[in-house]
Amino acid sequence: MTGQMWLASFLCLAMTFSGVLGASYTQTESISGSDFYDAFSFQAISDPTHGRVNYVSASAAKSANLTYASSNHFVLRSDFKKQLSSSGPGRDSVRIQSNNQYTTAVMIFNIRHMPQGCGTWPAVWTVGGNWPNQGEIDILEGVNDQSPNQVTLHTNAGCTMPSSRSQTGNAVLNDCNVATTNNAGCGVKLPSSQSYGPSFNSNGGGWYALERRNSGIKVWFWPRNGGVPSEVSSGAGTINTSNWGTPSAYFPSDNCDIASKFGPHNIIINLTFCGDWAGSVYGSSGCPNYVNNNPGAFTDAYFDFAWLNIYE
Ligand SMILES: *[C@@H]1O[C@H](CO)[C@@H](O)[C@H](O)[C@H]1NC(C)=O
Ligand SMILES: *[C@@H]1O[C@H](CO)[C@@H](O)[C@H](O)[C@H]1NC(C)=O
Ligand SMILES: *[C@@H]1O[C@H](CO)[C@@H](O)[C@H](O)[C@H]1NC(C)=O
């Protein structure tokens, strides 16, 4: 081998390894307080999943204090004051979508509080156009205060997950294809009850991180008091996900071509009520009536974000 050839194969090998191991990123956005108003747009649309919700515009949300920003708080909530008529629109709430789109990137959400209350269906997720062909990643999602959190991918046909893989959570279903799973997707339930709902809130929340690479998608959750890497909690300018330990949920690319199943994604933060999922697991207990008649039950139905950092 000539010196040059040796150097070429060494570089090639080094690049292969850095593709597998090295996962170092630089911060490109740091969003807190009123930055959320610039980074996200309000979507006053009707709920595609049939929730008892009425998504309002930015001006309506601000004037009713359904969103509120201070230096290090961004609060997003539903109305908790109005008695609703069963024939009228659902409870006022907010759905925001990021103006930027992301492909391979890391997103870290520092969340102090998430919506809780019967019938609530909050979500922090990312999604591409022409659903499900560009994929969907549910980072934080659940219903009716039921802990733990479940992280889920939704795709078109041809994306499955190995039943055994390196994660601390428990796989629920391994076929991500929405058509074969009645839209359930491939989910992973997190090991910690502090990952969702009242337990998340009483502990002061925590950090959720999504790493999307073509070799795999990972989500970590660290509760407020539980072993978060200092580069995560401090919002460091550069991070290296190789040092973060086993993820809570891991979706490798072995039987799923992530580069083609997941297109450019927007981040969406929404809070709906009942609907296809929350309504069906709420049983026969009259979920819409509960949402209509009990505004006071939704005083804790709010997100409080300390910040959102993006790394690419
Ligand atoms: C990231 O961390 C891994 C594991 O500690 C290390 O091998 C790698 O060199 C680091 N990458 C960079 C770019 O610092
Ligand atoms: C709210 O979020 C969940 C998250 O997966 C989604 O299924 C649902 O369609 C969303 N609702 C609206 C109106 O955006
Ligand atoms: C608006 O909401 C914020 C956050 O929940 C709260 O601190 C503030 O007191 C509210 N303002 C009014 C006028 O209700």
Side-chain angles (χ1 to χ4, degrees):
M1 233 196 258
T2 66
Q4 221 170 11
M5 271 170 73
W6 184 87
L7 186 65
S9 29
F10 173 79
L11 284 177
C12 200
L13 197 68
M15 277 162 66
T16 308
F17 273 109
S18 71
V20 176
L21 298 170
S24 156
Y25 301 81
T26 304
Q27 193 176 96
T28 51
E29 288 174 78
S30 177
I31 301 163
S32 65
S34 58
D35 300 338
F36 276 88
Y37 289 124
D38 303 322
F40 286 82
S41 297
F42 286 64
Q43 297 186 293
I45 58 173
S46 67
D47 183 353
T49 51
H50 314 110
R52 193 68 191 117
V53 73
N54 179 44
Y55 286 123
V56 302
S57 66
S59 58
K62 286 181 194 169
S63 68
N65 207 32
L66 300 186
T67 57
Y68 165 86
S70 69
S71 62
N72 62 350
H73 290 266
F74 178 71
V75 174
L76 179 158
R77 67 178 317 139
S78 65
D79 165 73
F80 58 99
K81 294 177 179 158
K82 292 183 190 164
Q83 193 87 18
L84 305 179
S85 137
S86 57
S87 57
R91 189 157 296 288
D92 289 349
S93 188
V94 176
R95 184 190 211 257
I96 58 174
Q97 170 172 302
S98 66
N99 296 323
N100 288 342
Q101 292 194 309
Y102 308 93
T103 52
T104 51
V106 172
M107 300 168 186
I108 307 175
F109 298 85
N110 181 354
I111 310 175
R112 294 192 188 89
H113 189 280
M114 64 172 289
Q116 72 178 71
C118 290
T120 52
W121 178 0
V124 176
W125 51 301
T126 75
V127 68
N130 192 20
W131 191 90
N133 297 316
Q134 309 275 344
E136 171 181 332
I137 305 172
D138 301 331
I139 302 166
L140 171 57
E141 185 185 19
V143 294
N144 298 329
D145 295 343
Q146 290 176 338
S147 191
N149 180 42
Q150 182 176 314
V151 177
T152 308
L153 305 188
H154 300 261
T155 66
N156 59 17
C159 175
T160 59
M161 292 299 137
S163 51
S164 169
R165 52 207 209 249
S166 181
Q167 59 185 2
T168 60
N170 298 304
V172 183
L173 286 172
N174 289 321
D175 189 349
C176 310
N177 178 7
V178 298
T180 53
T181 57
N182 194 19
N183 191 17
C186 51
V188 173
K189 278 198 191 303
L190 300 201
S192 160
S193 65
Q194 291 172 330
S195 60
Y196 190 85
S199 314
F200 177 91
N201 292 336
S202 61
N203 194 41
W207 296 264
Y208 268 95
L210 165 69
E211 180 186 35
R212 175 175 156 190
R213 310 179 73 190
N214 290 336
S215 58
I217 291 171
K218 296 177 180 177
V219 171
W220 286 262
F221 168 67
W222 299 278
R224 190 63 64 195
N225 55 353
V228 65
S230 62
E231 65 186 25
V232 170
S233 56
S234 70
T238 60
I239 54 169
N240 183 346
T241 57
S242 313
N243 302 323
W244 290 4
T246 307
S248 314
Y250 177 41
F251 304 93
S253 61
D254 308 35
N255 301 305
C256 181
D257 181 14
I258 288 171
S260 71
K261 297 293 175 191
F262 293 84
H265 275 196
N266 293 93
I267 304 167
I268 299 183
I269 300 167
N270 68 345
L271 169 56
T272 188
F273 300 99
C274 299
D276 295 344
W277 183 12
S280 63
V281 303
Y282 204 66
S284 52
S285 52
C287 182
N289 283 332
Y290 184 83
V291 174
N292 293 346
N293 298 331
N294 295 282
F298 302 107
T299 47
D300 289 325
Y302 68 91
F303 279 109
D304 181 352
F305 291 92
W307 45 253
L308 160 60
N309 287 339
I310 310 279
Y311 295 83
E312 286 175 271

